[in-house]
Amino acid sequence: MRALLLWTSVVGSSGFLQPPVSGPSQRQTPPTELRGLPQSSPFKGVPDSETPGALREELQPLVDLATRPRRNRRNQVFRSLMQETVVRPSNLLQPLFIHADDSAVPIGTMPGMSRLSVKATVDEVAELKSRGVKNVILFPKIDDSLKSNYADECWNPDGLVPTCVKAIKDAHPDVMVYTDIALDPYSSKGHDGVVDEASGRILNDETVAVLCAQVGERW
């Protein structure tokens, strides 16, 4: 509905369609009759049941054009003039998947992506920086032996993520490194929170305390 109304207003301002009015009482005679033109529906081929009645009444073509001009899209100069959003490499944030192993391991569910060692991650950051990408976010795969219900490994200052962040910043201090504040990589239950063993429910207060510890605030 909103898209159709916007379309009506924009095209109407170009003189092709009558702009919408607030109610049928304000227009007793359709504009096509005033101009001596035959009335036709802009919803040709669309069943009446799928066309909003109010919009069918409002949208009365003034001219039956075979094509409609699209001046703003004619060439690159026009498109550049009207363009509101420009995406550059500096606007991108590259996810990097890391693990404690020395070799890269392809991620089966993500073709073209691999879990990288800390050293390989630093090398990958260098490649990204050469292409203008200076923002990366780390997603770790933690060894099962380090997982627990309270995700204790997440606040280990010598853990995988802090070690990788330090290595990246030592080699590339101008790169921004983001980390995922979450417990599921460290949880033996696979949840993003501490689980009550008896009820199986997430313990909210305990989870918040652990998340605070992960970012350096001990409870």
Side-chain angles (χ1 to χ4, degrees):
M1 175 69 77
R2 178 175 153 194
L4 285 173
L5 289 173
L6 283 172
W7 175 75
T8 304
S9 301
V10 172
V11 180
S13 65
S14 302
F16 299 121
L17 292 178
Q18 180 70 18
V21 295
S22 59
S25 62
Q26 297 185 20
R27 191 183 70 210
Q28 301 299 326
T29 308
T32 49
E33 290 186 3
L34 293 175
R35 292 169 178 260
L37 298 172
Q39 297 187 43
S40 60
S41 171
F43 299 96
K44 292 179 180 179
V46 179
D48 286 350
S49 60
E50 299 179 13
T51 306
L55 284 175
R56 283 205 310 276
E57 186 176 330
E58 298 292 348
L59 295 174
Q60 297 292 341
L62 301 181
V63 181
D64 189 11
L65 296 177
T67 60
R68 295 194 179 276
R70 295 292 183 265
R71 294 184 294 273
N72 295 350
R73 308 174 192 174
R74 182 183 302 164
N75 57 44
Q76 181 59 42
V77 175
F78 276 130
R79 292 195 294 273
S80 298
L81 176 65
M82 309 299 177
Q83 186 176 6
E84 297 181 357
T85 302
V86 178
V87 179
R88 302 181 178 89
S90 59
N91 300 124
L92 302 179
L93 175 62
Q94 174 66 37
L96 296 174
F97 303 91
I98 62 175
H99 63 179
D101 295 348
D102 294 330
S103 58
V105 176
I107 303 174
T109 55
M110 302 177 67
M113 301 298 294
S114 297
R115 292 188 182 92
L116 305 176
S117 66
V118 171
K119 181 180 182 306
T121 301
V122 174
D123 294 341
E124 181 70 11
V125 169
E127 174 66 20
L128 290 168
K129 193 168 76 167
S130 71
R131 297 172 181 267
V133 179
K134 293 186 176 182
N135 297 278
V136 299
I137 181 168
L138 304 179
F139 293 99
K141 182 183 185 304
I142 304 301
D143 189 273
D144 288 344
S145 64
L146 299 175
K147 296 181 180 182
S148 67
N149 187 23
Y150 275 79
D152 306 81
E153 181 64 16
C154 77
W155 69 77
N156 178 6
D158 299 317
L160 175 61
V161 171
T163 299
C164 193
V165 170
K166 185 178 186 304
I168 293 173
K169 296 298 288 184
D170 285 348
H172 308 286
D174 57 334
V175 170
M176 185 67 70
V177 182
Y178 302 79
T179 61
D180 185 25
I181 305 304
L183 303 187
D184 50 299
Y186 306 89
S187 170
S188 57
K189 306 294 184 182
H191 284 287
D192 200 1
V194 179
V195 179
D196 184 341
E197 300 278 3
S199 66
R201 299 180 63 180
I202 298 295
L203 300 174
N204 289 339
D205 292 343
E206 289 82 347
T207 296
V208 170
V210 176
L211 289 170
C212 290
Q214 186 176 16
V215 297
E217 294 291 336
R218 294 299 183 94
W219 68 87

